[in-house]
Amino acid sequence: MLYGGDYNPEQWPREIWDEDMRIFKKAAINTATINVFSWANLQPSENEYDFSELDEIIEMLTNENYDIVLGTSTAALPAWMCRKYPDVTRVDFEGRKHHFSHRHNHCPNSSNFQLFAQKLVSKLAERYGNHPNVKIWHISNEYSGECYCDNCAKAFRDWVRDKYKTIEAVNEAWNMTFWGHRLYDWEDIIPPNYLGDGISDTAAAFAGLSIDYRRFNSDSLLANFVMEKEEIRRYDETTPVTTNLMGAYKPLDYFKWAKEMDIVSWDNYPSHNTPLSHTAMNHDLMRGLKYGQSFMLMEQTPSQQNWQPYNSLKRPGKMRVQSYQTIAHGADTIQFFQMRRSKGATEKFHGAVIEHVGHEETRVFREAAELGKELAQLEDTLIGAETKARVGILFDWDNYWALEYTSGPTVDLYYVDQIQRYYETLYHNNVAVDIIPLDADLEKYDLVLAPVLYMIKEGVAEKIERFVENGGTFLTTYMSGIVDQSDNVHLGGYPGPLRELLGIWVEEVDALAPEKRNTVEFVKDEWDKNSYECRMLCDLLHLEGAEAVAHYSSDFYKGMPAVTKNAFGKGEAWYVATLPEQEMLQEIIDHLLETKGIVGFGVQPEGIEITSRSKEDKEYIFVMNHTEEEKNVTYNFEDYQELLSSAEGKETLQLEPFGVRIYTKKA
Ligand code: GLA
Ligand code: ZN
């Protein structure tokens, strides 16, 4: 298992390198991610390349037997390039042209950037491509943001022309007769930033246009990635290529990106108050990008971040349990940012395996060393193990963008937040979940949830219908089925193409101010509790074949259905028309799990998480205590053996603070 992280010897004098080599060994570090931000050193001027320092670093790591994750260094531009070729820097949402600055900020459509990046990567690939210690290529770093410069405007016009063919089709797609925005010529297409039709990250005058710009921007950066990858492939046909992603990062359609990546890697930076289930969900999303394949944890901090408002230390044991949580959800590597704490600039207070004191006699180092030894002991037991989930949650970046651009009915609706509420109900039961794209094979699942599936693109409704017809259970919510791929409403009543499947018709959507509540009551008294509060959005809907499971009990729409279910083929389609208290969602999901016979590892004390991965008929069950208190786990491990300690499993398990167990059935 790769264990190591971002290593920047170029920031340090040579004697420190030797120290690093000595110290890393003590922590069973076996890998180093290098050359992530070295363009300025590798190419000190337009016609000059210098690989001498990188040669030395690679030689040193090779001599010491480290696996290398080799960066391509294109995430930060050299100063000379910005000075001589200003088109390599971006124009931002406010329309401001940026100077040489920061990182992750090249213009993706700058031909100078493309040319220089291609040349650099070509030289790197030629030089190191078949080096036996180079195990992974790490292209650029955390691709992010967007550009609105003239080159991007031009490229966007080509992208739009390619997609729509005629300007009339564009007018139609973006509904440009509204406000007399009819376009006559391709040149009339203006990037939707603040100086154009953009309003903010979460508002757009013409969402169809803004969504297309997001698609275009994601494609543009992806094209940069693909360009580098192809350059690598000219010299190196086999070494896997990745770039580090960022969970549910909004601007990039990671499902599309993953198709071009050999392996998914991502950077996990929960803050001190990030819900555990949120981190779990991010891992599942990252695993879902390449179904059935493990991912890499490219970065986590061993101790603390520097860029959050409050950079609390990870309590003793917490880094370990977080690492196992990552592995439990599908990671095959554990890597840190960073190996040695930098002495200056913005990340000098970011945690590292080696702290500013410079030696290994620290708590953080000791914990990294203990984990390193444990992971070494596991060898490749868990490598490639898969998650077996019977529940899928649909996630779609187009939908993410569209939903959050809407003007009305409420400003409180955030996509990931909505997904999270449903994910949480499954997490609560320690039930495994796959987070899946719209083109996933739904037949693998018994239960598919699609909270706020606002945008229904061509073919999606039919696909969900087939899934339900064949016996699947499907659940969706308010703000679903409303628009097409261009954000134009599916006319004829909400939820548009899902209407028949759900057997309902939504007439109006009420948005409640934050302090307002309605109540929902279950129709039958087979539920734990009869009545719950609800808030935010309330659909006013009519039954068209569905059955009311719950209805509103106040306001002028009192008595109208608030939760419905519809028998469709051999399956059932559920609709939750409002945002109820979490306990009510829990009841509904518990009911669906029960009817489908989906049993997880059961409800556990707060802070206990159980999930598993399987390999060659063996299931590895990870039990994790994310809290500072001892907890009693209520799962019978009598016939099991523990992997880390070889201890026999028992009927009950008292798990120490931040404790971890990995159980397998005895042979
Ligand atoms: C990101 C970057 C790293 C570093 C860390 C700090 O993940 O990829 O270069 O800046 O954040 O948390
Ligand atoms: Zn640009």
Side-chain angles (χ1 to χ4, degrees), residues 214-261:
R214 284 205 188 270
R215 290 174 175 138
F216 156 76
N217 180 68
S218 176
D219 285 358
S220 297
L221 286 166
L222 178 55
N224 294 165
F225 172 85
V226 170
M227 176 192 77
E228 289 196 27
K229 183 179 168 183
E230 281 171 359
E231 217 42 51
I232 291 169
R233 286 286 170 257
R234 284 181 51 204
Y235 300 95
D236 173 354
E237 285 175 12
T238 50
T239 310
V241 172
T242 191
T243 183
N244 47 347
L245 309 180
M246 296 179 282
Y249 179 68
K250 186 172 170 183
L252 304 180
D253 180 349
Y254 282 160
F255 279 119
K256 200 166 177 187
W257 276 64
K259 296 199 164 94
E260 304 292 346
M261 296 165 67

Side-chain angles (χ1 to χ4, degrees), residues 111-139:
S111 51
N112 284 312
F113 169 80
Q114 292 169 1
L115 215 78
F116 285 124
Q118 192 172 17
K119 262 197 195 161
L120 176 71
V121 176
S122 172
K123 287 181 191 293
L124 286 169
E126 187 178 12
R127 204 172 181 91
Y128 307 112
N130 297 303
H131 193 290
N133 290 58
V134 173
K135 292 291 154 56
I136 305 276
W137 282 96
H138 174 312
I139 291 184

